[in-house]
């Protein structure tokens, strides 16, 4: 049986941030938990959200973070292939993980709005321009109608050379209309992970330190957040 430290260390950084966000939602100081109408009004006010449905959107974002992280971690751990002769599995894993990153990005964008982050436009554009999202748009979404940057009318199209799919996805050949490139998805995944962690850290700081909690709940959240920060520092 795991002790508390082992349990907390079992989470990825993004899973840990998602857990903290869920605890913010669960523990924020609310008096009217048994009158639904009053509860909705109060939790909207205490979390400083704009709409009465925003706390449900908050919960949905947390679910998406957790679910997509499971898919992403599966590919990080076991790669694009678990049975070498199953081409269908290769495509499912590749297209699935690329769209998991896209869904995770969408949840982060909504969380930025909910917690009223500064520089949202810059952060959204930055996320959308990350290489893993660009690859998702090329291979798993807009494959035959990819809009070229800085071009209003011209489209490109892309396909993946099947023979280049390998377990770790580090030698994928992406063929376009006029050119091709060999890519490695691993540094792309890590780049996305690093940028999302930065944004989640800003969000959780707002959630824990600028929202009301009972003292014992605040101490609990503060301890877990500091544990996570220490983990990240040690890794660096």
């Amino acid at each position: 049986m795991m002790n508390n430290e082992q349990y907390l260390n079992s989470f990825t950084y993004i899973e840990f941030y998602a857990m903290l966000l869920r605890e913010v939602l669960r523990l924020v100081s609310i008096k009217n938990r048994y009158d639904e109408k009053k509860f909705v009004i109060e939790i909207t006010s205490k979390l400083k959200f704009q709409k009465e449905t925003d706390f449900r959107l908050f919960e949905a974002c947390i679910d998406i973070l957790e679910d997509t992280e499971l898919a992403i971690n599966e590919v990080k751990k076991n790669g694009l292939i678990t049975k070498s002769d199953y081409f269908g599995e290769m495509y499912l894993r590749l297209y699935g993980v690329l769209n998991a990153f896209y869904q995770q990005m969408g949840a982060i964008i909504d969380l930025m709005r909910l917690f009223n982050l500064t520089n949202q436009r810059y952060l959204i554009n930055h996320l959308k321009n990350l290489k893993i999202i660009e690859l998702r748009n090329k291979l798993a979404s807009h494959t035959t109608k990819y809009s070229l940057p800085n071009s209003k009318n011209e489209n490109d199209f892309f396909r993946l050379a099947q023979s280049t799919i390998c377990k770790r996805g580090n030698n994928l050949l992406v063929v376009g209309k006029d050119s091709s490139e060999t890519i490695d998805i691993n540094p792309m995944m890590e780049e996305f992970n690093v940028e999302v962690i930065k944004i989640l850290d800003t969000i959780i700081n707002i959630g824990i330190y600028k929202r009301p909690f009972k003292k014992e709940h605040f101490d609990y959240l503060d301890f877990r957040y500091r544990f996570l920060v220490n983990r990240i520092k040690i890794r660096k």
Side-chain angles (χ1 to χ4, degrees):
M1 185 175 179
M2 290 189 291
N3 60 33
N4 189 51
E5 183 176 351
Q6 290 170 328
Y7 170 71
L8 293 177
N9 279 326
S10 70
F11 292 94
T12 69
Y13 296 144
I14 289 177
E15 286 173 333
F16 207 129
Y17 278 110
M19 175 185 67
L20 287 173
L21 289 170
R22 192 176 295 282
E23 294 292 68
V24 166
L25 178 61
R26 182 175 71 90
L27 297 174
V28 67
S29 185
I30 300 293
K31 294 179 180 179
N32 298 294
R33 290 191 176 272
Y34 302 104
D35 183 312
E36 184 175 358
K37 191 171 182 179
K38 290 180 180 179
F39 168 78
V40 170
I41 293 171
E42 187 175 4
I43 198 169
T44 302
S45 173
K46 291 293 179 67
L47 290 173
K48 299 184 181 180
F49 289 163
Q50 296 178 359
K51 303 175 184 176
E52 291 187 357
T53 56
D54 276 348
F55 81 97
R56 299 194 187 280
L57 175 60
F58 182 29
E59 188 173 28
C61 289
I62 298 167
D63 287 344
I64 290 169
L65 282 179
E66 292 173 336
D67 295 346
T68 54
E69 191 67 4
L70 287 173
I72 291 166
N73 287 334
E74 168 61 28
V75 170
K76 286 181 178 179
K77 181 180 178 180
N78 295 313
L80 298 176
I81 308 170
T82 59
K83 296 183 179 180
S84 61
D85 57 341
Y86 282 20
F87 284 102
E89 182 189 7
M90 301 176 195
Y91 287 110
L92 282 172
R93 282 177 170 268
L94 179 59
Y95 296 158
V97 77
L98 290 176
N99 278 301
F101 281 109
Y102 188 80
Q103 286 182 282
Q104 199 168 94
M105 179 185 71
I108 293 295
I109 289 171
D110 279 327
L111 287 169
M112 287 193 290
R113 180 188 68 80
L114 290 174
F115 285 88
N116 196 28
L117 265 64
T118 57
N119 299 322
Q120 285 186 47
R121 181 175 295 181
Y122 165 79
L123 291 170
I124 290 169
N125 287 333
H126 182 62
L127 287 175
K128 288 182 175 180
N129 287 321
L130 291 176
K131 291 179 181 179
I132 199 72
I133 299 301
E134 180 184 343
L135 184 64
R136 177 264 179 187
N137 292 338
K138 286 180 176 179
L139 290 184
S141 179
H142 312 302
T143 52
T144 59
K145 292 183 180 179
Y146 182 82
S147 297
L148 293 171
N150 303 316
S151 174
K152 293 183 178 180
N153 300 314
E154 190 177 357
N155 288 333
D156 205 340
F157 50 82
F158 296 91
R159 64 181 177 84
L160 178 66
Q162 185 184 83
S163 62
T164 66
I165 300 180
C166 56
K167 185 176 180 67
R168 290 299 161 195
N170 58 355
N171 195 39
L172 301 176
L173 180 61
V174 179
V175 182
K177 181 170 61 176
D178 299 314
S179 63
S180 63
E181 62 177 330
T182 299
I183 59 100
D184 180 351
I185 65 170
N186 296 284
M188 294 181 179
M189 292 194 292
E190 181 59 23
E191 176 192 43
F192 183 91
N193 194 65
V194 167
E195 296 305 317
V196 163
I197 286 170
K198 291 177 186 176
I199 296 171
L200 284 173
D201 194 73
T202 302
I203 291 168
I204 201 63
N205 265 277
I206 296 170
I208 294 175
Y209 300 108
K210 295 186 178 181
R211 301 296 182 265
F213 298 96
K214 293 180 180 177
K215 185 180 185 306
E216 62 269 27
H217 293 159
F218 172 80
D219 290 344
Y220 165 82
L221 288 166
D222 180 63
F223 169 80
R224 290 203 161 192
Y225 172 65
R226 291 181 185 279
F227 183 94
L228 172 59
V229 169
N230 189 54
R231 262 186 70 188
I232 295 173
K233 284 182 179 178
I234 290 172
R235 183 191 176 194
K236 291 179 178 178

